[in-house]
Amino acid sequence: MLPSFFIAHGAPLIAIENNEYTQFLSHLGQGLPRPKAIVLFSAHWESSTQKVSSVDEYSTIYDFGAFPEELFRIQYPAKGNEEITKEIQDLFKNQGVSFEIDTKRGLDHGAWVVLRLLYPNAEIPVISMSINPQLSPEEQYRVGKSLSELREKDVLIIGSGGTVHNLRALNWAKDNGEVDDWALNFDEWLSSHLENWDLASLYNYDSLASTAKLAVPPYGNEHFVPIFYAMGAADKQQTAKLLHRSYRYGNLSHSVWQFG
């Protein structure tokens, strides 16, 4: 059975960089059993109703600006998988999860940056999934949990976002690996509760973690909440392991968590 993962997609620049984190993700993809398909919840696809993609081949969305032209030339033409999309629909129906099928949207950079590092040849079918930041963490966990049996069928489930993602706090000139105390404080709080699968505390991270307002700012929690979707997919095992953690620009976290 494949584990599920929460993977930080960082800044779009990692798509063209060669560093500790990009090398880690490349090795991660090489070391995993080949999945039948990938189901990916992206922080950059927000929707009030759960969206499930159903496309033959994805276009590549460049949902960013003011970056090198090289980024805008990248293509990641992954294909969909009708069989897995149908299974997702059936699972959602059985679990009472409302959803809508999307037949047009391409892959945003929260998806293709991660996927391209894991599987550069775009040979694994992908089912792209939206996230709903307005749901409670319990509800987000439940959405992931409803798909947990897909892991038994060699489907890789990924939540793509960032545990510490506060664009207003970034220092683009500070790229020496140093980390702000408040960012490290939040990630260490998170680690202790993830490793103990302490859902009661995790569901209330915003009030219990002392630096949560900086790490997961009130104006946007969309990058943090994919972790609950990924956790839910591993509810039967309830084990969490930190595979990688590093930082850019003072506080942008590159965390990779394995669940199950």
Side-chain angles (χ1 to χ4, degrees):
M1 180 188 298
L2 286 170
S4 59
F5 291 93
F6 174 81
I7 300 178
H9 59 252
L13 285 170
I14 71 168
I16 57 174
E17 292 177 328
N18 181 14
N19 56 39
E20 175 191 6
Y21 188 49
T22 61
Q23 291 171 18
F24 170 81
L25 290 180
S26 295
H27 291 150
L28 178 63
Q30 293 167 12
L32 289 172
R34 182 184 174 91
K36 178 181 179 181
I38 301 168
V39 173
L40 188 144
F41 292 89
S42 173
H44 287 274
W45 188 7
E46 298 180 46
S47 175
S48 59
T49 300
Q50 179 65 54
K51 301 283 190 178
V52 181
S53 66
S54 179
V55 300
D56 293 329
E57 183 174 303
Y58 290 94
S59 59
T60 305
I61 301 174
Y62 308 101
D63 49 338
F64 47 76
F67 284 104
E69 180 62 29
E70 183 180 356
L71 278 173
F72 297 88
R73 293 196 294 267
I74 292 174
Q75 299 282 321
Y76 194 81
K79 298 185 183 303
N81 183 303
E82 289 186 11
E83 177 187 347
I84 302 300
T85 296
K86 179 63 166 58
E87 287 194 51
I88 291 171
Q89 293 180 67
D90 292 341
L91 289 169
F92 279 162
K93 288 175 182 176
N94 291 338
Q95 297 298 320
V97 176
S98 298
F99 67 93
E100 295 176 354
I101 298 297
D102 184 288
T103 60
K104 297 180 180 179
R105 194 176 190 276
L107 294 176
D108 57 67
H109 85 271
W112 63 258
V113 166
V114 168
L115 293 173
R116 187 168 177 267
L117 288 166
L118 293 173
Y119 302 104
N121 297 323
E123 75 276 24
I124 309 296
V126 175
I127 295 85
S128 184
M129 309 284 283
S130 68
I131 55 111
N132 183 355
Q134 303 307 314
L135 293 179
S136 67
E138 295 97 323
E139 291 170 315
Q140 293 155 352
Y141 186 99
R142 176 173 165 260
V143 173
K145 182 179 178 180
S146 69
L147 302 181
S148 60
E149 69 180 61
L150 290 177
R151 294 175 45 231
E152 301 171 10
K153 301 178 180 180
D154 298 323
V155 174
L156 180 62
I157 298 177
I158 297 174
S160 171
T163 56
V164 181
H165 188 276
N166 186 340
L167 296 182
R168 298 177 187 176
L170 294 184
N171 182 349
W172 292 94
K174 186 178 181 181
D175 197 17
N176 56 3
E178 293 183 19
V179 54
D180 295 331
D181 289 342
W182 59 266
L184 184 60
N185 176 282
F186 180 78
D187 267 340
E188 290 183 341
W189 180 93
L190 183 63
S191 292
S192 66
H193 294 286
L194 284 173
E195 289 167 354
N196 291 313
W197 211 267
D198 179 6
L199 293 177
S201 295
L202 291 166
Y203 289 164
N204 293 284
Y205 72 90
D206 54 345
S207 60
L208 295 179
S210 62
T211 59
K213 293 296 187 291
L214 278 170
V216 187
Y219 62 82
N221 65 347
E222 74 288 337
H223 277 73
F224 182 68
V225 300
I227 204 166
F228 293 118
Y229 293 86
M231 285 186 75
D235 180 75
K236 292 181 180 179
Q237 289 78 35
Q238 297 195 358
T239 59
K241 181 180 181 181
L242 180 64
L243 301 184
H244 178 92
R245 186 167 73 196
S246 57
Y247 297 88
R248 302 285 297 275
Y249 318 120
N251 52 67
L252 182 65
S253 67
H254 288 165
S255 295
V256 178
W257 282 93
Q258 175 179 311
F259 303 120

